[in-house]
Amino acid sequence: MTRQSLLKIAISTAIVSASSTAVMAEPLITDYEKATSAYEDAYFSGNLNLDSGNQDQTSYDLDLSIDYEKVFSSKNRNTKLDFLGTGTVSRGSSSGDDRESTYQALGSATVDNYFNADKSNAFWYGKGEVGVKKGQEDPFTKATAGVGYGRVVNVTPMARSIRIVQELRENGFITSDPSNATYQKIAQIIEREAEYRSKYGYEDYEQYWVQDIETELKASGLTNGATGLNARAILKSYDVLVNERISTRKSGWLVRAGVGAVLSDYDGEDGKPALEIGAEYHKPLSNRTQFSNEAIATATLKDGDDSFNFNNAMSLTHELTDKIDWENKWTLDHNESDTGPELTTNTVGSTFLYSLTNKLDFSVEARLTDTDDRIANNGNDELDKSLTMGVRYRLK
C-alpha cells in the first residue's frame, strides 16, 4: 500500500470520527425548542440578624420573602402567574426602640395570545396586577392590554435530560453519548411529568416516568452490555429527577407595549390612564450558566399626579456543582412622581446557594445598595453593604 493510499485512509478515518463525535456529542440545552411546556417555581426565603450584649436591649432584623412564578406555554398562548411578597421585622439596640414591621406584595397574571404562531411570533396580551403595602390607603390594581413580538422557551427539560445521561455515563451504565434525538425524547418525557402524575397518581407516577426514560435509553443501543440499566442505574436516574434541584433555564426574547388604567392606587386615587413598555431576554451561556434580563417601564398619567417607574432586573446564575449554585443579580429601580422626590435604587447581590435537600438551600449573600433621592444628609447617602446568611425553602 502506497503512502498516498495510507494518507487517504487516515484522512477518511479522521473525517468519519469527527462526524461521529459531532453527532453523538452532548447537546446544548438550547437545542430543545419545543414550544409547549410548563414550569412552576416557588421559594420562601428568610434571613435573621440578632445582636445582644453591650447594648440596651437585644436587637434583631428579620427579612422574609415569597417568590412565585408559574408559566404555561403552548404554540398559540403563554400564561404567566407572578407573585412577590416581602416583609421585615426589626428592633433597634436602644432601650426606647420599638418593634417595627413592613410588608408589601405584588401579584400579576399575563396572557400572551399569538396571532398566527405558524408564521409569526407577534401576539396581543392582557395583564392584571394587584398589590398591597403596609400603611397605604388602598390596594393597587391595574389592567393593561397591548401587543408584542417574540417568544421565550423553557429549556429546563433538556438540562435535566443532560444531567441524567451524564450520571449514567460517569457510572458506566451507558457506553457513550446518545444521539441528539435520544436527548430530545428523554427531555420530552421529563416535560410530561404532570401528565404522568395525572394518569398514574401522585404516589405511583414516578416509577412509570423513570421506566419510559429507561426504555428510550435502551432503544439507543448504547447501554453497557455488562451492567445494562440495572437497579443502580434506575435509582441514579430517579435521584437526578426527584432529589436533585436544577434551576429553571429559559431561552429567547420578547418585547411588549400596552395601554391600560390604574383602577385603584395606594394613595386612594383611581381611574388613572397608564402606559407600559417591557422586554425580556434569556440565554443559557452554557449547560450550567443562565443569563436573564427583564425590563419594564410604566407611566401613570393624571393632572398634577403623573408618575414614572423603570425597573431592570439582570441575573447570571452558574451551577458550580450539583449542590452549589452561584447567583448574581443587579436590580435598577427608578421612580419619578409629581408628588414626591425622584428616587433611584441600585442593588447588586451575589449569593451562594448550597442545596441541603432538593427543597432546602443554605444561602450566603453579599449585597451592595445605593439609594439616590437627591436629598443630602438624610441617612442614605453612603453605599449600604451587607452580608447575610439564611435559608431558602422551595415550595414548588
Side-chain angles (χ1 to χ4, degrees), residues 23-25 27 176-184 220 222:
V23 171
M24 307 301 278
S176 64
D177 275 320
S179 66
N180 190 286
T182 299
Y183 277 103
Q184 295 281 350
S220 72
L222 299 174

Side-chain angles (χ1 to χ4, degrees), residues 97-370:
D97 292 338
D98 294 326
R99 173 180 174 275
E100 297 181 354
S101 64
T102 64
Y103 65 81
Q104 61 180 7
L106 180 66
S108 67
T110 307
V111 180
D112 299 334
N113 298 279
Y114 287 85
F115 292 110
N116 189 336
D118 293 324
K119 296 182 178 180
S120 171
N121 282 332
F123 62 86
W124 67 271
Y125 76 95
K127 181 179 180 181
E129 298 172 80
V130 178
V132 293
K133 283 184 180 180
K134 183 178 181 180
Q136 298 299 311
E137 186 173 339
D138 286 331
F140 170 81
T141 57
K142 179 183 173 185
T144 310
V147 294
Y149 188 89
R151 187 185 290 273
V152 175
V153 179
N154 172 34
V155 294
T156 313
M158 180 59 88
R160 300 176 77 185
S161 174
I162 291 170
R163 281 291 302 122
I164 289 174
V165 173
Q166 284 175 344
E167 286 293 336
L168 295 179
R169 280 207 64 188
E170 289 173 6
N171 287 275
F173 299 119
I174 57 177
T175 56
S176 64
D177 275 320
S179 66
N180 190 286
T182 299
Y183 277 103
Q184 295 281 350
K185 290 176 182 178
I186 295 172
Q188 289 166 10
I189 293 171
I190 292 171
E191 188 179 284
R192 290 161 47 207
E193 180 180 4
E195 178 185 324
Y196 280 86
R197 188 186 298 117
S198 176
K199 183 176 181 180
Y200 298 108
Y202 188 83
E203 296 294 330
D204 299 322
Y205 83 92
E206 289 166 347
Q207 57 186 294
Y208 296 97
W209 194 33
V210 175
Q211 178 181 318
D212 285 354
I213 293 173
E214 175 192 7
T215 300
E216 287 298 338
L217 285 168
K218 286 181 177 178
S220 72
L222 299 174
T223 54
N224 190 322
T227 61
L229 295 180
N230 57 22
R232 284 181 54 225
I234 303 306
L235 288 173
K236 179 58 68 175
S237 300
Y238 176 88
D239 185 55
V240 172
L241 283 172
V242 178
N243 297 326
E244 186 176 309
R245 183 187 64 81
I246 295 178
S247 58
T248 300
R249 310 296 176 83
K250 295 182 280 188
S251 178
W253 61 271
L254 61 81
V255 293
R256 66 176 78 241
V259 296
V262 176
L263 306 177
S264 65
D265 209 344
Y266 296 123
D267 59 7
E269 295 282 345
D270 56 20
K272 301 176 183 178
L275 305 175
E276 174 182 277
I277 299 175
E280 295 182 34
Y281 178 76
H282 305 274
K283 183 175 178 59
L285 302 181
S286 71
N287 288 346
R288 288 182 174 267
T289 307
Q290 172 75 47
F291 173 80
S292 292
N293 193 81
E294 299 185 36
I296 186 168
T298 59
T300 304
L301 311 174
K302 191 170 184 179
D303 292 342
D305 193 18
D306 296 347
S307 63
F308 171 78
N309 174 259
F310 174 75
N311 182 273
N312 189 86
M314 182 184 297
S315 66
L316 180 69
T317 303
H318 179 67
E319 185 182 309
L320 293 172
T321 71
D322 299 338
K323 289 285 188 180
I324 302 175
D325 280 359
W326 181 26
E327 293 185 352
N328 298 278
K329 296 181 179 180
W330 171 36
T331 303
L332 166 64
D333 191 75
H334 178 78
N335 288 277
E336 296 181 19
S337 173
D338 289 343
T339 59
E342 183 177 329
L343 180 65
T344 302
T345 304
N346 277 284
T347 304
V348 177
S350 185
T351 307
F352 286 93
L353 291 162
Y354 180 79
S355 179
L356 300 173
T357 70
N358 72 323
K359 292 285 189 181
L360 187 65
D361 296 330
F362 172 72
S363 66
V364 178
E365 180 186 28
R367 184 190 303 172
L368 301 174
T369 303
D370 177 66

